[in-house]
Amino acid sequence: MSESRSPKPKIAIACQGGGSHTAFTAGALKRLLSRGGEYDFVGFSGASGGAICALLSWYGFLSGGAGRASELLDSFWRENSASDYWDMVSNELFVEGSRAAGLVAVPEVSPYLYPSLAKNRLRRMLEDHVDFGRVGELSASEDSPELLVSAVEVRSGEFKIFRGSEVTVDAMLASTAIPNLFRAVRINGGTYWDGLFSQNPPVREFLRGYGEAHRKPDEIWVIQVNPQKRASEPTSMLDILDRRNELAGNLSLNQEVDSIETINRLLPHLPEDEYKKIRVRRIEMTRNLDAASKLDRSPSFIKEMMRYGEERGEEFLVH
């Protein structure tokens, strides 16, 4: 994947977080990676559910190519789906309860008051799909794509990027630790919450990992699950809350992209051996889905999101 080995365009992929909506990301990644012969994938980044998709793609791609990455993405989202009776019932109650919270006062319970069953389940799923003992080995080569996972340190408010060998199963749990659902994750004295509160997803960090300009990505492809635009003004309380959720999810992304575009404008004044123009392109989910659906793990919803992601990925590649 080095400069000497490939004249192909260097591509980094950044995956926005958004719960079950990131099944869309998994579908898009399957389609993008299937064209690996045409591109040199030099980096994967993500926050929250996007971090899981980025990790599975990176790990699968390095350990078995695009086919293996696709298998891992399919397997993870199949296992994450609510497939047995009681899981389906609890999923339905949870999603509809979240919708009801936008209409009436619903008491919330701290995740510190009940067992960490969901987090433990996620840990098992991640360890079933990724041998974290190999992450350091796979990331050690100079030719390996970068792997970046974001979180936020709760007490200091500082953003954290777990890079390469730092991406442990605990780092992944930190990036997915939505504070009203999961307890904070403690790593090396730090206390971490979801990457949605920091860099969602990491974009400008791709500029810092390569040094010389010729090693940096030519393009950064952002898989965006929060729609940038809405056709009409939200007026109902639920629509207002949904749009607020989308805007909050896109805030850090747009700041990340703006930093790249600022550097592009300043290129005439920057050292040519360190900087080059980098194009940022977006694969965007444009469906108006409510925020509660980010919690929906029903098999039909997950399958539809993945199918839609593949469709949008194909449209992106054609254009």
Side-chain angles (χ1 to χ4, degrees), residues 112-131:
Y112 291 84
L113 297 179
Y114 52 82
S116 301
L117 299 178
K119 186 169 77 171
N120 293 339
R121 179 175 185 252
L122 179 57
R123 177 187 291 273
R124 287 194 299 271
M125 285 194 295
L126 288 168
E127 291 178 334
D128 283 345
H129 289 82
V130 174
D131 179 356

Side-chain angles (χ1 to χ4, degrees), residues 138-306:
L138 291 172
S139 62
S141 170
E142 185 177 321
D143 289 340
S144 295
E146 275 219 290
L147 176 62
L148 309 172
V149 169
S150 65
V152 65
E153 211 289 324
V154 178
R155 296 167 300 173
S156 67
E158 294 180 356
F159 295 172
K160 171 66 177 178
I161 295 292
F162 296 98
R163 189 185 298 265
S165 60
E166 296 178 327
V167 180
T168 61
V169 68
D170 284 331
M172 294 301 300
L173 293 173
S175 185
T176 57
I178 302 172
N180 59 322
L181 299 178
F182 299 111
R183 301 178 188 183
V185 177
R186 292 174 172 80
I187 303 173
N188 297 329
T191 305
Y192 296 98
W193 274 352
D194 202 296
L196 297 172
F197 300 104
S198 57
Q199 291 159 280
N200 183 27
V203 175
R204 60 188 170 192
E205 288 293 329
F206 285 125
L207 276 65
R208 298 174 180 169
Y210 298 99
E212 302 92 341
H214 70 85
R215 291 176 53 80
K216 290 181 167 67
D218 299 307
E219 295 186 3
I220 298 174
W221 295 349
V222 178
I223 305 178
Q224 181 174 351
V225 297
N226 289 310
Q228 187 66 32
K229 298 179 181 179
R230 282 267 187 166
S232 59
E233 176 185 358
T235 54
S236 72
M237 199 61 223
L238 277 178
D239 286 344
I240 290 169
L241 291 172
D242 291 338
R243 187 55 178 158
R244 187 176 72 176
N245 179 277
E246 291 169 354
L247 293 175
N250 285 336
L251 179 62
S252 64
L253 168 61
N254 291 330
Q255 291 173 332
E256 293 276 301
V257 172
D258 183 67
S259 68
I260 303 291
E261 294 174 346
T262 298
I263 291 173
N264 286 341
R265 291 192 295 270
L266 293 174
L267 283 177
H269 311 287
L270 298 174
E272 292 183 4
D273 60 338
E274 295 181 33
Y275 296 92
K276 71 177 183 181
K277 185 173 182 178
I278 297 176
R279 185 184 182 193
V280 179
R281 303 174 64 197
R282 306 192 193 205
I283 303 99
E284 186 179 351
M285 186 179 74
T286 56
R287 292 182 181 175
N288 291 332
L289 301 172
D290 65 4
S293 65
K294 292 182 176 181
L295 304 172
D296 189 356
R297 295 186 297 109
S298 62
S300 59
F301 183 74
I302 295 298
K303 288 177 182 176
E304 173 56 22
M305 284 294 95
M306 292 190 74

Side-chain angles (χ1 to χ4, degrees), residues 13 15 22-34 53 57 73 221-224 283-284 305-314 316-317:
I13 302 178
C15 305
T22 52
F24 168 90
T25 303
L29 282 163
K30 287 174 60 179
R31 185 62 62 195
L32 300 178
L33 294 177
S34 70
C53 292
S57 299
L73 289 164
W221 295 349
V222 178
I223 305 178
Q224 181 174 351
I283 303 99
E284 186 179 351
M305 284 294 95
M306 292 190 74
R307 187 204 63 77
Y308 179 43
E310 291 195 58
E311 176 186 298
R312 292 290 287 166
E314 183 62 30
F316 174 84
L317 291 168

